[in-house]
Amino acid sequence: METCGGDFHSEAFYRMVLELRGIDLRTWRCWRTTQTVTRWTPEVIMTRADRIVQQPPRRKFLGASAALIVALPLQRAWGIDVQPTAVDNGKPKSRLILLGTAGGPTPKPNRAAPAQVIVVNGVSYVIDCGNGVARQMVLAKLKLGSIRNVFLTHHHSDHNADYGNLLLLSWETDLATRVDAYGPPPLLEMTRQFLALNDYDIRTRIADEGRPPLKGLIAAHEITAGGPVMQDDNVKVTAALVDHPPVEPAFAYRFDCPDRSIVISGDTRPSPNLVKLAQGADVLVHEVMYLPALEQLIAAETNAKTLREHLLASHTTTEQVGRIATEAGVKTLVLSHFVPGGYPFLKDEVWFDAVRPYFSGNLIVGRDLLEL
């Protein structure tokens, strides 16, 4: 891709912008030579591309049922801070924020542990609680006191390590209302033991700071099969059993919001149940593994053989995730829970190019704190 000193010139960014507008690369290059632009920033690229197709620069890309616009995921996926646009059909707008996009339990310098949050009408629904999820909520400028529901997909430590800490730290901040938590067994026992572990601190803060008892604010619910999970005025949540051996049960969740449907895969290998759950969804957030980097990832591990077997048996490759999204007929596929999520560090273009041949819809490479 041609560059002009200091210009933004990511090949994958160009391709996403042009593809979403139906512009071929040759047409763009020819047209670009006619423009007197001193610096091709991402904003300029999108604005000029819109002029070619004579469309308003903020055109919806998720269909009539969605609130997002083409510019929003593209700008945010590449680090440009913009404000979301409200829907124009009078329905509340849902916000999806990727709080952490790494895969695996080891702390990583470039990505936080797995977690995401859906916000509707100011109410936060947290899915998975990897290490540091409370801080990620704060970095996303969300009030911890807005949490009303927590959903765990399965009991691997990168997904549940801060389940209790999220509730405790929220309570110590501004949480004063009940939180319903949903997940596989032994969620009830985990909740009980966490409260026991922190009993001294909790009792001290109740007496010293006048806080309400934390135990009365947490209602844990164990789920063991797919089907309806809960419904309130903002969302309807449905679960599906997925395949993530040896962990059983493991779940994916679908959130039907007023303006769109969002599916979170959790950890899984290719799963027919997930395809069924995600049928026609507006957004599918799916875990992903890049096979060419697998050997480099596990090279330093003493248990390399066992780890390789687990990864291959329990996760979804870039090709497979593209095919799953295509089969499910989703409008937008968001890649997350990257394996590798740290070293070897892979550029966004690598992930994008590895999935694109198998999925022709809107494709977004996730990053921490990306809002969709």
Side-chain angles (χ1 to χ4, degrees):
M1 178 64 64
E2 71 276 12
T3 65
C4 298
D7 282 0
F8 183 91
H9 57 272
S10 165
E11 177 77 25
F13 181 83
Y14 271 108
R15 288 170 58 182
M16 281 197 295
V17 172
L18 301 183
E19 185 173 327
L20 286 169
R21 290 159 173 77
I23 304 170
D24 67 84
L25 189 57
R26 179 175 297 179
T27 298
W28 169 260
R29 284 173 169 165
C30 292
W31 181 85
R32 176 171 166 158
T33 61
T34 69
Q35 302 300 298
T36 55
V37 175
T38 57
R39 188 166 185 269
W40 288 88
T41 64
E43 296 96 330
V44 171
I45 292 169
M46 287 185 288
T47 300
R48 296 305 172 103
D50 284 319
R51 290 184 184 179
I52 294 180
V53 292
Q54 297 182 336
Q55 294 178 157
R58 297 201 169 189
R59 185 178 181 86
K60 294 176 186 174
F61 81 103
L62 290 183
S65 65
L68 300 180
I69 51 176
V70 168
L72 180 58
L74 290 175
Q75 286 174 312
R76 291 198 168 183
W78 294 89
I80 307 163
D81 187 20
V82 296
Q83 295 298 316
T85 301
V87 295
D88 56 8
N89 58 5
K91 295 180 180 179
K93 179 188 181 303
S94 60
R95 302 169 62 195
L96 166 63
I97 303 173
L98 306 182
L99 298 174
T101 57
T106 56
K108 298 170 177 64
N110 58 320
R111 294 183 185 273
Q116 43 268 306
V117 60
I118 296 170
V119 185
V120 183
N121 280 328
V123 177
S124 295
Y125 304 81
V126 178
I127 307 95
D128 281 335
C129 298
N131 178 43
V133 62
R135 184 170 185 272
Q136 293 300 103
M137 288 273 292
V138 172
L139 289 174
K141 296 180 173 56
L142 296 175
K143 290 186 177 181
L144 294 174
S146 69
I147 299 172
R148 295 295 179 272
N149 294 271
V150 173
F151 303 85
L152 296 182
T153 59
H154 66 291
H155 291 307
H156 261 150
S157 57
D158 52 328
H159 293 258
N160 69 8
D162 268 11
Y163 159 63
N165 284 335
L166 174 64
L167 299 176
L168 176 66
L169 297 174
S170 298
W171 174 74
E172 292 174 346
T173 305
D174 60 352
L175 179 68
T177 54
R178 167 172 160 157
V179 175
D180 287 271
Y182 302 86
L187 185 62
L188 290 170
E189 182 63 14
M190 287 170 54
T191 306
R192 187 192 68 78
Q193 290 195 16
F194 180 83
L195 292 171
L197 172 69
N198 292 277
D199 181 63
Y200 179 84
D201 179 67
I202 292 170
R203 286 190 291 107
T204 299
R205 295 186 186 279
I206 290 173
D208 192 45
E209 301 173 10
R211 300 185 184 279
L214 177 57
K215 181 179 180 180
L217 298 181
I218 304 173
H221 311 270
E222 292 184 348
I223 55 177
T224 57
V229 176
M230 60 82 66
Q231 184 170 356
D232 61 15
D233 292 338
N234 297 319
V235 298
K236 179 176 72 173
V237 183
T238 308
L241 282 166
V242 293
D243 301 314
H244 188 52
V247 178
E248 294 182 354
F251 292 98
Y253 293 104
R254 176 175 178 136
F255 294 79
D256 287 297
C257 307
D259 59 328
R260 56 177 174 166
S261 52
I262 301 168
V263 176
I264 310 295
S265 74
D267 281 11
T268 182
R269 64 188 179 191
S271 168
N273 286 345
L274 174 61
V275 172
K276 183 177 180 181
L277 181 73
Q279 280 296 316
D282 293 293
V283 181
L284 170 61
V285 180
H286 203 293
E287 68 133 83
V288 64
M289 177 171 62
Y290 186 67
L291 277 181
L294 194 58
E295 295 307 317
Q296 195 174 357
L297 168 66
I298 65 177
E301 300 289 340
T302 57
N303 60 332
K305 180 177 183 296
T306 304
L307 180 57
R308 181 192 295 107
E309 291 173 352
H310 163 72
L311 293 173
L312 293 175
S314 305
H315 293 279
T316 307
T317 68
T318 49
E319 175 180 345
Q320 290 169 334
V321 71
R323 294 188 185 280
I324 288 167
T326 297
E327 185 178 355
V330 303
K331 297 180 178 67
T332 293
L333 171 61
V334 181
L335 305 180
S336 189
H337 193 281
F338 295 94
V339 179
Y343 178 83
F345 303 106
L346 303 177
K347 293 182 178 180
D348 287 356
E349 295 93 319
V350 173
W351 296 102
F352 185 92
D353 291 344
V355 176
R356 172 51 79 202
Y358 311 101
F359 178 68
S360 61
N362 299 303
L363 176 59
I364 297 175
V365 179
R367 62 170 174 81
D368 292 359
L369 302 181
L370 170 64
E371 179 170 345
L372 302 163

